């Protein structure tokens, strides 16, 4: 006799005692300053208020940059490029990168708690994924700094000069590392703008640069709103732009840079598909789907936010999926047991609500996890839409929240056609026991990353990037070096 298939009504979630990580580890200060030419200074722009999205309390005031601060930052970066960093042998640059990597590790607990306070993501994500991967980017690129001649980009590749880098709020320190580590390894200097809602770990990273003895002006961090990002993009003294963020802003940046000869790297939005074939190990696939869309509150550009499941197993999979998602613990991001933390801002929460309402009005079937929501803060319960049609907004637009849209298919060709029926092309997952089917599907799916029987695995050695409206250029690995070299 087999056990009846579990459904959400039969599941009693495990009870956990609270396991809060002390917020004091973050060494939070009431005021943070920009890092410009090797000094911490107050900018002339409007200051920013950073809030904890899980409680809506004010965390800190952050000094904001003006256009003239951007000028000063670019001038400092140019001077450092010409006088210290550009001429420095790669083997010397490598030592600084190794030092930075080790300091990120040493200050890892502080950075993880600060990231969780500022961003709202669960501490187990920031502690076990974001911060270690940020350190790994510096370790990896430290190894490249003296081997650029052998990286396959021609003999004697040269740095580009000053790199302007603009990052979003979903992986603040990790995105910073993905941008700064290759830029420095290749001999460029940097002006970086963190997102308006998550500037704190970038400013602590500036302290790490100081601790590592990095020459003044090699890394400059300017906090500010979107107009400061636009200033950096338009600045004539910047030789390269690396941007991670929305497709809409990416297009605007591309237009600004057209004809200037300045090299862009654009890492933009996505609407990834997980394809589950009827021979897939279902429990393993469910873990991957959960990790691919509900972890980090779905605020991952390469989230598998569309699930394509073969019709013959759709009912069984959906039932098991509901049961599993119902066990996810939503709440205090600083609690080590929390699976789903806070949405980063009220604006983001409104956008998720708008799109899920559209799912209702367009006729999809909504299932919401029965987890209780905290009274304060920006939270959204994990949600699964079934009976989704390709024309619906929840199947086409990036929701960037803990929301999964489930569609079905009958044949492998139909699965690939539906996976590719998107203006994006960042990620996809294939779940099947047949190796030949994995290779067949991976060759046909137009996405920068295709995972097989797993999802959302990252490594600094692997290039990452998108097709179509998901971006331009690659970051990471040997391929990612090219973005920072004159080859
Ligand atoms: P966003 O609005 O495009 O903002 C990203 C960054 O650009 C922020 O620092 C923002 O500043 C700045 N910015 C805004 N307007 C600008 C402009 N006109 N010129 C220059 N900079 C400007 O993106 P988001 O909504 O915050 O971030 C989420 C998006 O990022 C999603 O679409 C997600 O898919 C994408 N993403 C992609 C990847 C990837 O690797 N492909 C990774 C992570 C996220 P403010 O913060 O002040 O607005």
């Amino acid at each position: 006799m087999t056990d009846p298939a579990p459904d959400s009504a039969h599941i009693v979630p495990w009870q956990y005692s609270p396991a809060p990580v002390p917020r004091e580890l973050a060494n939070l200060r009431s005021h943070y300053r920009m890092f410009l030419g090797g000094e911490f200074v107050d900018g002339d722009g409007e200051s920013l208020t950073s809030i904890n999205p899980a409680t809506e309390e004010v965390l800190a005031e952050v000094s904001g940059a003006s256009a003239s601060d951007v000028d000063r930052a670019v001038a400092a970066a140019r001077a450092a490029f010409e006088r210290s960093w550009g001429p420095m042998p790669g083997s010397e640059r490598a030592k600084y990168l190794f030092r930075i990597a080790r300091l990120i590790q040493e200050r890892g607990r502080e950075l993880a708690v600060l990231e969780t306070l500022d961003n709202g993501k669960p501490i187990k994500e920031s502690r076990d994924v974001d911060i270690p991967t940020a350190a790994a980017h510096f370790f990896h690129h430290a190894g490249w700094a003296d081997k650029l001649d052998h990286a396959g980009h021609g003999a004697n590749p040269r740095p580009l000069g000053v790199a302007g880098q603009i990052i979003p709020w979903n992986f603040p320190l990790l995105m910073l590392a993905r941008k700064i580590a290759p830029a420095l390894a290749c001999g460029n200097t940097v002006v970086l703008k963190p997102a308006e809602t998550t500037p704190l770990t970038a400013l602590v990273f500036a302290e790490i640069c100081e601790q590592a003895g990095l020459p003044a002006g090699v890394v400059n961090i300017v906090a500010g709103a979107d107009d400061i990002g636009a200033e950096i993009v338009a600045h004539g003294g910047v030789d390269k732009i690396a941007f991670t963020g929305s497709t809409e802003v990416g297009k605007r940046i591309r237009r600004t840079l057209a004809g200037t000869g300045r090299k862009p790297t654009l890492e933009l939005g996505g609407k990834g598909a997980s394809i589950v074939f009827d021979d897939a190990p279902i429990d393993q696939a469910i873990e991957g789907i959960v990790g691919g869309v509900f972890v980090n509150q779905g605020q991952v550009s390469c989230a598998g936010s569309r699930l394509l499941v073969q019709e013959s197993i759709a009912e069984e999979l959906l039932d098991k999926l509901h049961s599993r998602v119902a066990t996810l613990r939503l709440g205090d991001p600083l609690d080590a047991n929390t699976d789903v933390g806070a949405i980063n801002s009220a604006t983001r929460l409104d956008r998720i609500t708008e799109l899920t309402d559209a799912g209702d009005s367009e006729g999809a079937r909504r299932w919401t996890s029965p987890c209780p929501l905290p009274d304060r803060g920006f939270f959204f319960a994990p949600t699964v839409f079934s009976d989704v049609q390709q024309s619906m907004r929840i199947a086409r637009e990036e929701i960037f929240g803990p929301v999964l849209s489930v569609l079905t298919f009958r044949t492998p060709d139909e699965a690939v056609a539906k996976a590719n029926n998107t203006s994006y092309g960042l990620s996809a997952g294939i779940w099947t026991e047949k190796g030949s089917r994995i290779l067949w599907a991976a060759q046909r799916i137009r996405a920068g990353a295709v995972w097989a029987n797993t999802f959302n695995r990252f490594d600094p050695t692997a290039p990452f990037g998108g097709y179509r409206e998901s971006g331009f250029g690659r970051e990471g690995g040997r391929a990612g070096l090219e973005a920072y070299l004159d080859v």
Side-chain angles (χ1 to χ4, degrees), residues 125 129 171 274 288-296 298-304 427-429 431 449-459 464:
E125 285 293 311
V129 181
F171 290 90
S274 268
I289 294 160
V290 167
V293 76
F294 296 111
V295 161
N296 219 358
Q299 301 175 137
V300 185
S301 52
C302 49
S427 66
W431 300 86
V450 181
W451 289 287
N453 293 327
T454 187
F455 211 89
N456 269 354
R457 297 284 159 201
F458 299 101
D459 192 293
F464 183 81

Side-chain angles (χ1 to χ4, degrees), residues 166-171 175 178 193-197 224-231 233 243-250 252-253 266-270 299-302 348 398 400 424 426 464-466 470 475:
I166 299 156
I167 56 173
W169 45 269
N170 61 342
F171 290 90
M175 290 296 143
R178 213 159 82 174
K193 185 193 101 62
E196 199 176 339
T197 54
D226 47 356
D227 55 329
I228 294 306
E231 285 289 342
V233 173
F243 170 79
T244 297
S246 61
T247 294
E248 184 196 338
V249 174
R252 224 175 295 161
I253 291 176
L266 305 172
E267 297 284 355
L268 311 176
Q299 301 175 137
V300 185
S301 52
C302 49
R348 301 288 150 201
E398 190 180 33
F400 229 55
Y424 296 111
L426 196 56
F464 183 81
S470 285
E475 288 187 333

Side-chain angles (χ1 to χ4, degrees), residues 265-464:
T265 312
L266 305 172
E267 297 284 355
L268 311 176
K271 191 72 188 173
S274 268
I275 304 176
V276 184
F277 288 100
D278 57 5
D279 65 338
I282 289 199
D283 292 334
Q284 190 183 328
I286 284 173
E287 286 315 303
I289 294 160
V290 167
V293 76
F294 296 111
V295 161
N296 219 358
Q297 301 68 253
Q299 301 175 137
V300 185
S301 52
C302 49
S305 56
R306 288 180 300 153
L307 170 61
L308 304 178
V309 53
Q310 197 146 13
E311 206 173 79
S312 53
I313 57 161
E315 209 176 310
E316 179 193 357
L317 186 135
L318 210 54
D319 210 27
K320 286 190 165 182
L321 183 68
H322 291 166
S323 302
R324 174 67 180 100
V325 176
T327 66
L328 295 176
R329 291 171 299 270
L330 177 149
D332 178 7
L334 273 183
D335 191 309
N337 292 321
T338 294
D339 299 305
V340 182
I343 303 300
N344 182 247
S345 67
T347 317
R348 301 288 150 201
L349 185 57
D350 289 347
R351 164 91 180 146
I352 297 168
T353 307
E354 184 211 324
L355 277 164
T356 48
D357 287 351
D360 293 332
S361 58
E362 289 183 318
R365 191 147 52 98
R366 185 198 286 237
W367 175 91
T368 305
S369 170
C371 62
L373 295 185
D375 297 335
R376 298 193 64 197
F378 313 129
F379 289 92
F380 196 88
T383 297
V384 178
F385 278 103
S386 50
D387 295 345
V388 176
Q389 302 302 320
Q390 294 183 83
S391 56
M392 293 180 182
R393 287 183 71 194
I394 53 170
R396 289 185 290 112
E397 296 182 33
E398 190 180 33
I399 302 175
F400 229 55
V403 181
L404 181 67
S405 301
V406 184
L407 300 94
T408 58
F409 67 87
R410 289 186 182 166
T411 64
D413 283 327
E414 186 187 350
V416 168
K418 284 186 170 171
N420 286 338
N421 185 12
T422 167
S423 57
Y424 296 111
L426 196 56
S427 66
I430 303 165
W431 300 86
T432 171
E433 285 202 326
K434 286 197 184 70
S436 57
R437 189 178 270 170
I438 290 171
L439 296 174
W440 179 88
Q443 279 167 354
R444 286 161 179 78
I445 293 172
R446 310 304 287 163
V450 181
W451 289 287
N453 293 327
T454 187
F455 211 89
N456 269 354
R457 297 284 159 201
F458 299 101
D459 192 293
T461 62
F464 183 81

